[in-house]
Amino acid sequence: MAPTLLIVDDQPLMAEYIASVAEDAGWRVELAANADEFETIVEAAEPDLIAMDLAMPGRDGVELLRYLSSINYLGNLVIVSACDQPVVETSATLAREHGLAVIGYLQKPVTADAFRSLLDQIVAMVPESAFDRSHQ
């Protein structure tokens, strides 16, 4: 079964662009535009990877990182943000300190090559059987 990617971003064009890159790479994709949709999908789909924007209206990405930590999310996480690099790096550090597997971050605007490279790295470092853990 294909690994699942959840993209949480309030900018539909960016989310759809990232989704198309992931689908071309063989991933199954779910989209969330806000925190409520995100939590519903995390609980139902148990995604293997989450690509998360930090700057969103309402509850922001940092609050969603805390949520993931509180539910002991075991998948991987990529931060995709237009925030300044120090903000992104601090958020990644915070997430790691809370036990989340942040495997990288990308600055917006994201290029297809950069995102595809990150997806390829994830597939290479995670045993294929691990992707099926939540879908059996």
Side-chain angles (χ1 to χ4, degrees), residues 62-120:
V62 173
E63 290 179 77
L64 298 183
L65 293 173
R66 288 188 185 114
Y67 164 77
L68 290 173
S69 176
S70 74
I71 64 164
N72 297 314
Y73 173 69
L74 298 176
N76 295 297
L77 184 65
V78 174
I79 297 173
V80 181
S81 182
C83 293
D84 292 334
Q85 187 164 342
V87 172
V88 175
E89 290 174 355
T90 300
S91 297
T93 299
L94 173 71
R96 287 182 183 114
E97 288 174 355
H98 283 89
L100 298 173
V102 178
I103 54 159
Y105 52 86
L106 296 170
Q107 292 290 131
K108 287 182 179 179
V110 174
T111 66
D113 288 343
F115 194 65
R116 175 65 189 250
S117 176
L118 193 58
L119 292 174
D120 290 346

Side-chain angles (χ1 to χ4, degrees), residues 1-5 26-28 48 131-132 135:
M1 178 179 281
T4 303
L5 166 65
W27 290 70
R28 199 167 53 96
D48 301 295
F131 285 133
D132 289 333
H135 307 291

Side-chain angles (χ1 to χ4, degrees), residues 15-59:
E16 291 168 13
Y17 173 71
I18 295 171
S20 69
V21 172
E23 288 169 343
D24 288 347
W27 290 70
R28 199 167 53 96
V29 177
E30 299 278 347
L31 299 174
N34 59 54
D36 291 336
E37 290 177 8
F38 170 78
E39 289 179 5
T40 299
I41 294 170
V42 167
E43 292 171 16
E46 298 181 29
D48 301 295
L49 174 65
I50 296 173
M52 176 184 296
D53 186 13
L54 291 178
M56 295 185 305
R59 290 185 290 156

